[in-house]
Amino acid sequence: MTDMVLVTGISGFIGGHIAAELLRRGYAVRGSVRSRSRIGEVHAAMAAAGVDTAKLEICRLDLLSDQGWAEAVDGCRYVLHVASPFVLAKPKDPDELIRPAVEGATRAVGAALDGGVERVVMTSALATMQFARAPKGHIYTDADWTDPNDPRLNAYTISKVKAERAARELVEQRGVPDRLAAINPGAVIGPLLTNDPGTSVTAIQQIMSGALPMIPDLRLPWVDVRDVADAHIAAMTSASAAGRRTIIATDPMSLIEVARVIRERLPEASRKMPARAMPTWFTWLASGFEPQLRENRWLIGQKQRLDRTTAETLLGHPLRSIPDAIEQTARSLTGLVQLWVTGSVTRPGEPVWS
């Protein structure tokens, strides 16, 4: 029999790539969406990926409701919990992000354990490790934990930390810690499957569309979405992933360097890009007035080092080239940028850097 895999959040950037790769490998996929109105997007994404959807089915799940979870995991051998709330603008109430992230994680893991699923792979984030207090020169590993009470953190990062902690506490309470694996990606980019870019792609989107007067010296730990998808699938069966957290990201590259790659490889797509780079000192100064910069101040000029050996061991190969991923992201976005210019598609409201 074909193994069935539940992929929550299948309409998202990461979820879509995971589902497409699972279908390519012969798995049956049950994908969840919050609203049935997004089913068409899922099928469009799979068509863009060139995969056969004969083994794909869609169900509706809400992170804040128990309804449907038992049925969704029924017959599944694995669960990949990818769904997580995200908003472009900072919410007035942090619980708008934190509560559904935590409750969604516990619902997904709890339902999976109750249904006898062999392993749950949870999409967490590098942010759950990346902002742990550490001395200069520290190499961040899966042993690092971001303190959710750190006043530097935004609601999104807090939601990720608390959700992963809640999932881990649940499997430990049940006495089955090895049935959970966490994948902790950095800023995920790569080819788009739909017109809905991933959250990290928005940074590149804003640069290409000319929405920013200068390019700030924010440094992000990029990773190709296809590596993220492959890591989730490998973690379903790998003994080395059992009970582990896996950093999957490269050492940070600045948005200034990202822009340089786009100019060199796709000059025709860089006409609206700002010509000037924002110096580090000016980025710090501007962060006192610009909410998005202020909220992500710790990314300014940072030179963090990350241990990605666990990810590369899990994948069986080095992480994909980030310049190549930037180029492919930019190529995917080129059509969208043109649509924003003509007004055919609504331009995203605010820059998002995390």
Side-chain angles (χ1 to χ4, degrees):
M1 287 182 62
T2 300
D3 289 333
M4 173 71 79
V5 183
L6 173 64
V7 180
T8 69
I10 193 174
S11 60
F13 181 45
I14 296 174
H17 273 277
I18 291 173
E21 187 57 30
L22 284 166
L23 291 168
R24 287 190 193 99
R25 299 187 191 190
Y27 288 95
V29 174
R30 181 177 295 147
S32 81
V33 293
R34 183 178 179 184
S35 170
R36 293 195 178 277
S37 65
R38 305 204 69 179
I39 292 177
E41 294 177 37
V42 174
H43 283 281
M46 297 304 104
V51 298
D52 184 355
T53 57
K55 295 180 182 178
L56 172 67
E57 59 183 80
I58 307 294
C59 64
R60 181 186 176 279
L61 292 174
D62 191 321
L63 299 178
L64 293 173
S65 171
D66 290 330
Q67 186 175 357
W69 284 93
E71 294 79 6
V73 302
D74 185 39
C76 292
R77 187 171 183 180
Y78 309 107
V79 168
L80 304 185
H81 179 51
V82 187
S84 185
F86 194 94
V87 296
L88 289 178
K90 179 181 179 180
K92 292 181 180 179
D93 181 359
D95 274 345
E96 290 180 28
L97 280 174
I98 298 169
R99 182 176 164 235
V102 173
E103 290 192 20
T106 54
R107 280 190 172 87
V109 174
L113 296 181
D114 291 343
V117 166
E118 290 185 15
R119 183 165 297 164
V120 185
V121 182
M122 176 181 179
T123 310
S124 186
L126 178 62
T128 66
M129 311 169 186
Q130 180 184 14
F131 305 123
R133 300 283 185 174
K136 187 176 181 179
H138 178 71
I139 299 175
Y140 288 82
T141 73
D142 61 359
D144 291 300
W145 276 98
T146 297
D147 179 0
N149 298 312
D150 190 324
R152 298 177 300 167
L153 303 183
N154 59 26
Y156 169 75
T157 301
I158 295 170
S159 76
K160 284 297 190 181
V161 176
K162 290 190 172 183
E164 188 183 339
R165 285 285 199 188
R168 197 160 297 280
E169 287 170 7
L170 181 55
V171 293
E172 288 173 354
Q173 289 169 5
R174 299 278 191 100
V176 287
D178 286 357
R179 287 171 67 183
L180 175 68
I183 301 298
N184 301 71
V188 185
I189 58 174
L192 305 183
L193 298 182
T194 70
N195 288 345
D196 183 11
T199 54
S200 298
V201 172
T202 307
I204 297 176
Q205 197 177 59
Q206 293 287 338
I207 292 171
M208 291 179 63
S209 65
L212 304 174
M214 288 191 289
I215 303 173
D217 186 22
L218 295 182
R219 304 189 181 196
L220 300 175
W222 308 98
V223 63
D224 191 303
V225 67
R226 292 163 295 187
D227 281 337
V228 177
D230 289 345
H232 279 77
I233 296 169
M236 294 191 314
T237 57
S238 171
S240 67
R244 294 288 303 273
R245 312 164 75 208
T246 299
I247 291 175
I248 183 161
T250 58
D251 290 347
M253 173 188 287
S254 75
L255 293 175
I256 296 169
E257 294 172 282
V258 169
R260 187 176 300 121
V261 171
I262 297 172
R263 283 198 178 92
E264 290 173 354
R265 298 194 179 194
L266 282 90
E268 70 281 5
S270 62
R271 290 190 296 269
K272 291 188 173 292
M273 286 170 47
R276 293 180 296 169
M278 188 182 295
T280 302
W281 68 267
F282 189 77
T283 308
W284 271 101
L285 181 64
S287 70
F289 305 95
E290 216 296 312
Q292 291 288 346
L293 287 178
R294 182 168 60 249
E295 200 167 292
N296 295 280
R297 187 174 287 178
W298 59 82
L299 299 174
I300 299 172
Q302 67 155 312
K303 296 180 180 179
Q304 285 185 325
R305 298 172 65 196
L306 309 169
D307 180 4
R308 57 179 180 268
T309 55
T310 302
E312 293 182 340
T313 299
L314 181 64
L315 291 170
H317 58 74
L319 296 183
R320 285 176 168 87
S321 159
I322 296 307
D324 288 350
I326 292 167
E327 178 183 350
Q328 289 159 353
T329 304
R331 290 189 184 280
S332 291
L333 286 170
T334 299
L336 284 182
V337 171
Q338 182 58 39
L339 289 174
W340 299 334
V341 171
T342 62
S344 302
V345 171
T346 302
R347 183 193 300 270
E350 297 184 358
V352 174
W353 306 115
S354 64

